[in-house]
Amino acid sequence: TNMTMTIMSAKREVESCKETMSDIAKAMSTGSLRGARGNSGVILSQLLRGFSKKIGDKTEIGVIEIADAFQKAVETAYKAVMKPKEGTILTVARGIATKARECAGTDITLEEFCETIIKHGDEVLASTPELLPVLKEAGVVDSGGQGLMEVLKGAVDCILGRVVIADTKPSGAGVSGVDNPKYSEDLSADIKFGYCTEFIINLEKPYGIKEEDDLKQFLESIGDSIVCVSDDEIVKIHVHTNHPGLAFEKGLTYGSLSRMKVDNMREEHEERVIQDSERLAKEQAQADAAKTEETQPEEQTEHKEYGFIAVSCGDGLSEIFKGIGTDYLIEGGQTMNPSTEDMLNAIAHVNAD
């Protein structure tokens, strides 16, 4: 969601600018920074900023120019993050830039270059769980890295003429990595700084290297996951902290604030765990119901005085119960403790007094 909102902000800015390379590059940089949301969104804006700086003065872009722009994008993004972590969007971006530089020195077409970059990017993304323990524990790849790959795949589809008119309605899909990711229920206990705090400073006072260093040092003293980047008239701040008000107060010493946003990450995590638990429970119930249907004895038509119901676990025991005349089988599941409703449903299915 954060990366989508970031890229859509860049899109809106580009749509309203003149169609020259330099104007589009500047609009892409400014638009993405102004609309950047979340850690991955701010980093994406810096990748776009570095990329656009390198291509801003070009009239044509080929393999060599793209490779140079990728390198500049990665340098800009790494500089923007106070404490870069490997196994994140930064790792994926750097891997792509390295591969692009290798390809640029060979006789390769633009189409071959694009396909090679996408394939390598997916491989780097797949390796992120080995670099970041929290990803490995959760069984997912890095969401920011996957978001970057979606952006690049969209760009490649456009370059190679594969684009169709997109359905802009939200799909509701937002899961990264695997179809059924696991979430560690005690992960919220590991969240040292609970509030994701973001805002833009509209500069009204001088802001040079000294002021930037001072601001970064202050943010580091109250939190982590800090991204602090400036662009002409504004400074974009992202910080995880337990005291959002202190970050806002510091920002006010440089100018007025806009686009202020504070999210309680512990609360969001708890809600996500509950939602995923409910979803997994529902899926398990549906799977159990389907399995129960498959293992039922052939439906009886003759009315009987006595009917027999058995609680079974496993195909082998189910076959034995069917063989000795059981009318209905209940799958006991992991707890071997069916609910009263399971029993009542079974009784309703059996044609007996």
Side-chain angles (χ1 to χ4, degrees):
T1 300
N2 286 338
M3 296 184 78
T4 299
M5 297 190 76
T6 302
I7 204 75
M8 292 303 287
S9 178
K11 170 184 174 289
R12 286 191 296 273
E13 197 85 15
V14 167
E15 285 177 339
S16 62
C17 78
K18 296 177 183 177
E19 293 187 7
T20 66
M21 191 77 81
S22 59
D23 287 331
I24 289 171
K26 182 172 176 56
M28 184 166 67
S29 174
T30 302
S32 61
L33 180 59
R34 286 186 179 277
R37 290 271 301 267
N39 220 5
S40 56
V42 175
I43 293 172
L44 175 62
S45 76
Q46 293 308 289
L47 289 168
L48 291 172
R49 183 184 180 205
F51 189 93
S52 61
K53 271 187 176 181
K54 200 67 178 177
I55 65 170
D57 58 350
K58 309 290 183 189
T59 54
E60 291 184 358
I61 302 176
V63 170
I64 293 174
E65 289 76 19
I66 293 174
D68 289 343
F70 274 152
Q71 193 63 47
K72 184 66 175 177
V74 171
E75 290 172 6
T76 305
Y78 266 90
K79 284 179 183 176
V81 180
M82 293 283 287
K83 294 180 180 178
K85 282 186 179 179
E86 295 307 327
T88 65
I89 180 175
L90 292 171
T91 303
V92 177
R94 194 184 66 213
I96 289 167
T98 301
K99 192 67 175 179
R101 172 55 50 216
E102 292 174 7
C103 292
T106 64
D107 185 17
I108 191 172
T109 67
L110 183 60
E111 182 172 353
E112 291 169 340
F113 174 79
C114 289
E115 298 290 4
T116 301
I117 290 300
I118 293 300
K119 181 181 178 184
H120 185 72
D122 280 338
E123 290 171 356
V124 177
L125 175 64
S127 72
T128 55
E130 300 304 317
L131 300 172
L132 208 55
V134 68
L135 296 178
K136 193 167 188 177
E137 180 187 351
V140 296
V141 296
D142 178 67
S143 57
Q146 184 165 351
L148 177 61
M149 290 308 301
E150 290 301 314
V151 172
L152 289 175
K153 287 173 182 177
V156 167
D157 285 347
C158 182
I159 291 169
L160 302 183
R162 302 170 180 160
V163 174
V164 295
I165 296 173
D167 179 7
T168 56
K169 294 176 183 176
S171 65
V175 177
S176 71
V178 294
D179 292 334
N180 280 323
K182 302 191 298 293
Y183 293 91
S184 169
E185 294 192 21
D186 62 352
L187 187 61
S188 58
D190 297 332
I191 299 176
K192 184 179 178 183
F193 299 104
Y195 297 96
C196 177
T197 306
E198 297 179 82
F199 57 97
I200 285 177
I201 305 172
N202 302 296
L203 292 171
E204 296 169 356
K205 296 180 180 179
Y207 185 80
I209 295 175
K210 182 181 180 301
E211 287 77 14
E212 182 179 3
D213 289 343
D214 177 59
L215 179 55
K216 286 181 176 179
Q217 285 176 16
F218 175 79
L219 293 172
E220 198 167 24
S221 72
I222 64 168
D224 64 7
S225 293
I226 297 158
V227 184
C228 173
V229 290
S230 58
D231 185 17
D232 297 336
E233 301 169 352
I234 66 170
V235 180
K236 176 74 178 185
I237 301 295
H238 172 280
V239 59
H240 292 175
T241 179
N242 289 326
H243 303 284
L246 295 178
F248 291 146
E249 288 289 338
K250 184 67 174 178
L252 285 168
T253 63
Y254 299 96
S256 61
L257 307 185
S258 62
R259 303 200 187 187
M260 294 176 285
K261 184 175 77 74
V262 179
D263 292 321
N264 186 329
M265 295 187 294
R266 294 187 182 97
E267 191 175 82
E268 286 180 346
H269 172 74
E270 287 168 4
E271 288 175 358
R272 183 62 179 269
V273 168
I274 291 169
Q275 289 170 1
D276 279 292
S277 297
E278 289 174 346
R279 175 178 58 78
L280 291 171
K282 186 177 180 181
E283 289 174 359
Q284 185 62 50
Q286 290 171 342
D288 289 345
K291 188 172 181 181
T292 297
E293 287 296 321
E294 291 172 3
T295 59
Q296 292 312 315
E298 292 184 15
E299 191 170 343
Q300 62 183 81
T301 55
E302 181 185 350
H303 180 78
K304 295 167 31 174
E305 184 177 2
Y306 298 105
F308 292 88
I309 295 167
V311 178
S312 175
C313 181
D315 295 338
L317 288 175
S318 295
E319 285 300 317
I320 292 173
F321 277 120
K322 280 159 50 176
I324 59 176
T326 299
D327 296 297
Y328 195 92
L329 294 171
I330 300 172
E331 288 290 331
Q334 289 182 338
T335 62
M336 288 303 295
N337 188 21
S339 67
T340 305
E341 185 179 16
D342 291 334
M343 293 290 189
L344 291 171
N345 288 338
I347 292 167
H349 272 85
V350 177
N351 186 14
D353 294 335

